[in-house]
Amino acid sequence: ISRFAAGLMSIESNGVPDYLTRFYWWAYVHPRSVCLFERQWLVNLILWGNFGRLRDGALAALGERLDGRTLQIACVYGDLTPRLLARLGTDASLDVVDVLPIQLENLARKLPPDCQVRHFQANSAALEFESATYDRALLFFLLHEQPEDVRRATIAEALRVVRPGGRVVIVDYHRPHPLNPFYLPMAAILSVLEPFALDLWRHDLTEWLSETHRFVRMDKATMFGGLYQVLKLTVS
């Protein structure tokens, strides 16, 4: 058995979902992948030069000053989390959850020691936090990587842990305008590399809201000819 295969077997036994090791080993799971993709210029290239706009759009939707408790669901390559940290109020806190220990370790290397950030290994579809205990939550390019049942559960969990009046911000892919020159290239790329991503082209994200959250207020903006979306859900 190869070292790489043995590593994957160990990861799967550590509570990591099978779809991650099957479809996303090349992006998030293998140490060489983390070393490769933790380059902001590369993340920006993958997003056709839009990483900064999308990051800033997420931060703006969360708020200029972040008091209270903020939850980031899944680690992100690039400087999103350091920028998020910079917006925290004096007594505020930021918790980051990810199902992959290697991603949490990578995040820790990007942050100053003894900062206001706690790391948790957890599945986004089954968060072990009490309900209504966060002021806001962020999901940045996570949902397109998840099968439909996991995606539905992740959204429900994000809405569950945020208090009434708080907000959940989602940044992800969106069906672009048919005349967008990136329409066909992105359809081909996503169909090969991202087996669940085209769900977000076929369906509105609100279709995955649970019945208990059908009436959350939603503000939606799209970018880059409709290829990306920023959603702000206000919890009722």
Side-chain angles (χ1 to χ4, degrees), residues 71 73 124 127 132 134 136-139 152-163 167-170 213 233 235:
L71 177 65
I73 303 176
S124 64
L127 297 174
Y134 285 93
R136 62 197 67 82
L138 172 64
L139 297 91
R152 187 184 300 276
T154 293
I155 296 172
E157 283 290 88
L159 291 167
R160 177 185 67 80
V161 301
V162 171
R163 64 169 177 79
R167 63 186 60 170
V168 174
V169 173
I170 299 172
H213 291 105
L233 305 179
V235 179

Side-chain angles (χ1 to χ4, degrees), residues 4-217:
F4 176 65
L8 289 186
M9 290 174 63
S10 173
I11 288 167
E12 289 181 8
S13 67
N14 199 26
V16 176
D18 176 68
Y19 72 87
L20 267 179
T21 54
R22 288 178 61 199
F23 299 118
Y24 290 104
W25 62 267
W26 57 271
Y28 304 111
V29 179
H30 196 275
R32 291 182 182 176
S33 303
V34 177
C35 182
L36 172 64
F37 285 101
E38 190 51 81
R39 290 171 167 80
Q40 186 143 321
W41 67 266
L42 181 56
V43 177
N44 191 46
L45 180 63
I46 291 169
L47 294 174
W48 303 110
N50 287 278
F51 175 78
R53 290 184 63 206
L54 293 164
R55 175 202 62 209
D56 293 347
L59 295 173
L62 288 169
E64 187 66 32
R65 176 185 168 92
L66 304 180
D67 294 312
R69 303 184 68 201
T70 301
L71 177 65
Q72 178 184 320
I73 303 176
C75 295
V76 177
Y77 291 131
D79 67 353
L80 171 68
T81 308
R83 295 287 188 105
L84 194 55
L85 173 62
R87 293 194 173 212
L88 295 186
T90 304
D91 298 320
S93 65
L94 170 62
D95 292 345
V96 181
V97 302
D98 201 290
V99 75
L100 290 169
I102 192 171
Q103 288 294 327
L104 294 170
E105 293 164 6
N106 181 59
L107 174 63
R109 289 190 290 269
K110 297 192 290 184
L111 300 175
D114 303 320
C115 64
Q116 303 150 276
V117 181
R118 298 188 300 172
H119 309 137
F120 297 89
Q121 184 186 359
N123 191 321
S124 64
L127 297 174
E128 297 181 0
F129 301 126
E130 293 184 12
S131 299
T133 52
Y134 285 93
D135 296 285
R136 62 197 67 82
L138 172 64
L139 297 91
F140 192 89
F141 281 92
L142 171 64
L143 298 177
H144 76 277
E145 297 168 345
Q146 299 180 323
E148 182 176 350
D149 59 332
V150 180
R151 184 184 310 125
R152 187 184 300 276
T154 293
I155 296 172
E157 283 290 88
L159 291 167
R160 177 185 67 80
V161 301
V162 171
R163 64 169 177 79
R167 63 186 60 170
V168 174
V169 173
I170 299 172
V171 180
D172 221 307
Y173 286 111
H174 181 271
R175 186 184 185 92
H177 189 280
L179 297 181
N180 188 321
F182 291 89
Y183 188 104
L184 292 179
M186 283 303 300
I189 291 169
L190 294 178
S191 64
V192 172
L193 295 179
E194 307 265 15
F196 314 112
L198 290 177
D199 285 356
L200 275 68
W201 287 32
R202 303 183 188 104
H203 305 279
D204 192 278
L205 272 173
T206 56
E207 295 184 31
W208 294 300
L209 292 177
S210 67
E211 290 299 327
T212 56
H213 291 105
R214 290 291 182 188
F215 302 104
V216 299
R217 174 185 166 187

